Amino acid sequence: MTEERFEALLQENRLFQPPESFQAQANVQSSEIYDMARADRLGFWAKQSERITWFEPWTQVLDWQPPFAQWFVGGKLNAAYNCLDRHVEGWRRNKAAIIFEGEPGDSRVLTYQDLHREVSQFANVLKSLGVHKGDRVTIYLPMIPEAAIAMLACARIGAPHSVVFGGFSAESLRDRINDAEAKVLITSDGSFRRGSVVQLKANADTALKGANSVEHVVVVKRTGIEVAMTAGRDVWYHEVMQDVSSVCPAEPMDAEDMLYILYTSGTTGKPKGVVHTTGGYMVGVASTHQMIFDIKEEDVYWCTADVGWVTGHSYIVYGPLANGSTVVMYEGSPDYPAKDRFWQVIEKYKVSILYTAPTAIRTFMKWGPKYPQSRDLSSLRLLGTVGEPINPEAWMWYYKYIGAERCPIVDTWWQTETGMIMMTPLPGVTPLKPGSCTVPFPGVEVEILDRAGQPVPKGSGGYLTVSQPWPAMLRTVYRDPDRYANTYFSNWPGIYFTGDGAKWDEEGYFWVLGRVDDVINVSGHRIGTMEVESALVDHPMVAEAACIGKNHEVKGQAVAAFVTLKEGVEVRDDLIDELKAHVAKKIGALARPDDIFFTAELPKTRSGKIMRRLLRDIAEGRALGDTTTLADASVVNSLKERYKEEG
Ligand code: ATP
Ligand code: MG
């Protein structure tokens, strides 16, 4: 394979048309939008910029000096103003902005007016703590409204935030504080997780030994546990918020001023500090959110991601609030106090749009349909997924048991770096194929290239790239423009490389095959992990699978699979052979795994993505690579032990 294309093995012929009733009411009802955007891409984005309130208009849509882009040049705006003030001026002031559901079952509703007041007050608090425009603030909080309040307060005064997921360790927090040189840290006493308390403040204190840029720590009281407060440095949120003015004008920011830094999930290696700016980002997230989620005033929209990930930034905070939507925010885990918690939340708030991750869906599949079946999910009208390729069988399960075969599913492909959704169906327009993220969003130019930079023909696979800049794209890696240029733009000049492999089928539908780093090379055939894993998940007993390439004397690499079975399934002696045969039958003998290893859990990042590079280390008996973003170290340790004995 000199052109280094990727094999396209999986055939998926099921097609789901948008229901007529859905199409008739959809925000986008016709595919003309694609033609319009193709004919005049910058005109399309200029039009989308009208969704945003600008203090001063921009003068140029795009200034592209590869690999550096500036969008909406000269425009002035404020992200928090767009999420709050303009709604408070009109009837939305008493609309629910955030409906919060705590893990213990407490709940809180903040109207747009409430949120505007708290954000303005907290912005004044930050100012009083010495935070100026341009200073960085690190946020290390659970999924509570104060996380959104803190982000918006930073945006209001022009202080870029760096949100660090509350599940990260002290060391990971320290690295991220130091990289950003944050002046203030916002955290909480603790957070609830499966009924117990995670000691966030104690972690923060450990992190701060060796993070000297931080002058003040603001602590939100969430759990009521006893915590140490360092005099002169630490203050309680509820105390400093007392008697603070709720008047704080939103700082006019340049379109290209930094809105935030966010570190990637670290699935493939050391996290990168991705920089997003204000104007293009807000245009990108507001327009994608409105069209892809078909958002209406009366919708109750729930994105289950954590605000610590880009999905939480773009599709819990900035996109939905810019659109004046009602957002559900849930603090806890899906299995507390019972495995029906998500479905209970949907029933309670009559959630109409649910946006979650394949890892969650596969877990629900593993638990079985009885949990969603015990709740009323009839309020749902649209479903979404993000984070990993969704295996067709997991898609079908979601479609059937959660969406009752009534709700379109938007499978959205994007990255921390892209800031906004890049490939996705438009739910009133695009026929769906389970496992495919369908087509690029209007105004987004995606291409699959071979090593030489030639687009691969339909029906084959290669490197997934974006050939034209888009408004919400990352602008750089924080303080490391060389790493930005090398990581994303060094393969083909001026073309953004995503790190993912993909194929497109005869009808031009895109299928993400997995990370190129994870591609398995069997006798010169390059196989994406997604297709082999999907073939395994297609077997009725399998809930989840992770495939890797293991060194092989003859073939170069052989497929090895780590498989999690559905709950209650008995491991028969012949199951391994049956699964191998199933893969061979489904996608071809080439992809037949040499080894299958059963495991109750797979190693995942804290954002829930499978870390195949650690499985490769285990299978080849190497020392483990960077494990700082791993969710549960005991999973790899026990796998390593067992693999040594049995593997
Ligand atoms: P790092 O870049 O540090 O390894 P990461 O790539 O896991 O971390 P994210 O930016 O959170 O960090 O993840 C983006 C990646 O997630 C994409 O590149 C892709 O591999 C995967 N992904 C996200 N959504 C989808 C989707 N709908 N279909 C297929 N893959 C997806
Ligand atoms: Mg990545």
Side-chain angles (χ1 to χ4, degrees), residues 264-268 387-389 411-412 414-416 500 515 609:
T264 58
S265 332
T267 310
T268 53
E388 288 178 295
D411 175 355
T412 63
W414 60 297
Q415 311 177 297
T416 308
D500 288 348
R515 321 285 178 141
K609 296 170 195 255

Side-chain angles (χ1 to χ4, degrees), residues 90-284:
W91 70 269
R92 283 193 191 121
R93 73 171 68 90
N94 288 320
K95 176 176 175 173
I98 296 178
I99 299 176
F100 168 70
E101 168 87 0
E103 194 186 78
D106 55 325
S107 71
R108 205 174 136 195
V109 178
L110 286 100
T111 63
Y112 273 94
Q113 192 157 242
D114 294 333
L115 193 58
H116 178 262
R117 184 176 56 249
E118 281 223 29
V119 166
S120 302
Q121 287 181 308
F122 193 56
N124 280 327
V125 167
L126 290 175
K127 280 186 185 169
S128 73
L129 294 175
V131 179
H132 301 289
K133 185 171 174 171
D135 289 340
R136 277 82 53 218
V137 172
T138 297
I139 300 173
Y140 181 61
L141 282 172
M143 276 288 284
I144 54 177
E146 285 77 7
I149 292 167
M151 290 163 74
L152 291 165
C154 289
R156 194 164 192 84
I157 61 174
H161 53 72
S162 159
V163 182
V164 177
F165 173 56
F168 273 127
S169 66
E171 291 81 305
S172 303
L173 174 62
R174 181 189 297 142
D175 290 348
R176 287 163 179 74
I177 292 174
N178 284 336
D179 191 72
E181 293 181 287
K183 200 168 185 181
V184 164
L185 172 65
I186 305 163
T187 186
S188 69
D189 53 354
S191 70
F192 292 113
R193 197 68 193 166
R194 293 204 172 86
S196 56
V197 171
V198 182
Q199 311 255 348
L200 287 194
K201 177 61 165 64
N203 284 349
D205 285 333
T206 308
L208 289 175
K209 293 189 189 107
N212 300 323
S213 58
V214 172
E215 294 170 11
H216 290 286
V217 181
V218 183
V219 187
V220 178
K221 189 175 244 154
R222 171 59 187 147
T223 61
I225 57 166
E226 196 73 38
V227 296
M229 296 290 278
T230 302
R233 186 193 74 182
D234 302 354
V235 294
W236 285 104
Y237 179 91
H238 62 273
E239 287 178 5
V240 288
M241 286 285 276
Q242 296 258 321
D243 306 318
V244 175
S245 164
S246 58
V247 179
C248 177
E251 187 69 32
M253 302 299 287
D254 190 87
E256 283 301 329
D257 277 337
M258 186 170 27
L259 179 60
Y260 65 79
I261 306 168
L262 182 63
Y263 296 85
T264 58
S265 332
T267 310
T268 53
K270 191 178 176 294
K272 299 166 277 284
V274 166
V275 169
H276 284 292
T277 58
T278 312
Y281 177 79
M282 289 304 290
V283 171

Side-chain angles (χ1 to χ4, degrees), residues 524-594:
H525 297 275
R526 293 162 62 80
I527 305 174
T529 50
M530 187 268 191
E531 298 196 311
V532 193
E533 290 163 6
S534 292
L536 285 161
V537 174
D538 184 71
H539 188 280
M541 290 179 182
V542 175
E544 186 155 48
C547 293
I548 55 161
K550 191 182 161 182
N551 288 336
H552 186 280
E553 279 177 19
V554 181
K555 296 190 272 192
Q557 283 189 323
V559 178
F562 294 76
V563 169
T564 303
L565 298 172
K566 288 185 184 161
E567 274 183 7
V569 167
E570 296 271 340
V571 184
R572 287 185 269 101
D573 286 345
D574 54 355
L575 186 56
I576 288 185
D577 289 335
E578 187 177 316
L579 291 177
K580 289 180 182 175
H582 190 79
V583 173
K585 180 166 144 263
K586 181 95 188 153
I587 58 173
L590 184 66
R592 180 195 195 94
D594 277 28

Side-chain angles (χ1 to χ4, degrees), residues 423-478:
M423 291 198 282
T424 177
L426 291 175
V429 173
T430 318
L432 308 173
K433 294 187 187 184
S436 165
C437 58
T438 71
V439 293
F441 188 77
V444 172
E445 298 293 331
V446 173
E447 272 186 331
I448 304 173
L449 303 180
D450 63 18
R451 171 69 64 205
Q454 291 306 309
V456 304
K458 283 186 180 159
S460 37
Y463 301 89
L464 184 66
T465 69
V466 189
S467 56
Q468 296 293 335
W470 65 100
M473 68 190 279
L474 81 165
R475 298 302 194 260
T476 189
V477 171
Y478 190 62

